[in-house]
């Protein structure tokens, strides 16, 4: 499975961006997909995850209410709509996938995921 993330950029605080992650190979609709981010000097942080079979979505506390995660199985793509961006959202954003069916608490663990995209930089200016 190969993942290709795109859509990052520079935006002012309060603005919006939409990230995309296109997957190739495998049975996309069955994968759990996730977004993580990593700021300089910090650990990789869970942003959101979406299950393949039920489309149940989970959000990290810092983004809930501002970010929206969605998937289009016909296009083998997931999207992360980011609104009301803050300077603290600045990071490299990574999409990830797993064929497993982890319990919800494990969705926040980067080690749960088998495949990773290359990352896309999001910078929010104040």
């Amino acid at each position: 499975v190969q993942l290709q993330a795109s859509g990052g950029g520079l935006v002012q605080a309060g603005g919006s961006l939409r990230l995309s992650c296109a997957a190739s190979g495998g049975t996309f609709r069955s994968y759990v997909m996730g977004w993580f981010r990593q700021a300089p000097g910090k650990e990789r942080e869970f942003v959101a995850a979406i299950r393949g079979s039920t489309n149940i979505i989970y959000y990290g506390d810092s983004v809930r209410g501002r970010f929206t995660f969605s998937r289009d199985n016909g296009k083998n793509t997931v999207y992360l709509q980011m609104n009301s961006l803050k300077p603290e959202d600045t990071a490299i954003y990574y999409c990830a996938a797993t064929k497993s069916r982890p319990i919800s608490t494990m969705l926040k663990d980067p080690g749960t995921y088998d495949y990773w995209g290359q990352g896309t930089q999001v910078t929010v200016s104040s």
Side-chain angles (χ1 to χ4, degrees):
V1 176
Q2 293 185 326
L3 304 175
Q4 181 72 39
S6 61
L10 173 64
V11 64
Q12 289 187 335
S16 300
L17 281 175
R18 189 176 81 154
L19 305 183
S20 301
C21 177
S24 59
T27 308
F28 175 78
R29 64 178 63 249
S30 67
Y31 294 163
V32 171
M33 301 295 295
W35 284 101
F36 289 78
R37 66 187 184 186
Q38 190 164 18
K42 295 188 176 181
E43 293 186 351
R44 194 161 293 192
E45 178 190 10
F46 171 74
V47 175
I50 185 168
R51 294 196 180 276
S53 56
T54 62
N55 283 344
I56 295 174
I57 302 171
Y58 305 82
Y59 293 101
D61 292 340
S62 61
V63 306
R64 187 176 294 110
R66 299 188 296 123
F67 290 11
T68 302
F69 195 6
S70 61
R71 69 189 298 156
D72 185 336
N73 289 334
K75 295 182 178 180
N76 285 6
T77 301
V78 294
Y79 304 97
L80 185 69
Q81 178 66 44
M82 307 186 295
N83 298 329
S84 302
L85 284 162
K86 305 175 182 179
E88 50 264 44
D89 294 318
T90 295
I92 299 175
Y93 283 69
Y94 298 90
C95 62
T98 179
K99 298 179 181 180
S100 66
R101 297 186 178 185
I103 60 176
S104 58
T105 52
M106 293 304 297
L107 292 171
K108 300 179 181 181
D109 183 350
T112 296
Y113 297 83
D114 307 307
Y115 308 100
W116 290 85
Q118 84 287 4
T120 184
Q121 176 71 48
V122 171
T123 303
V124 184
S125 62
S126 57

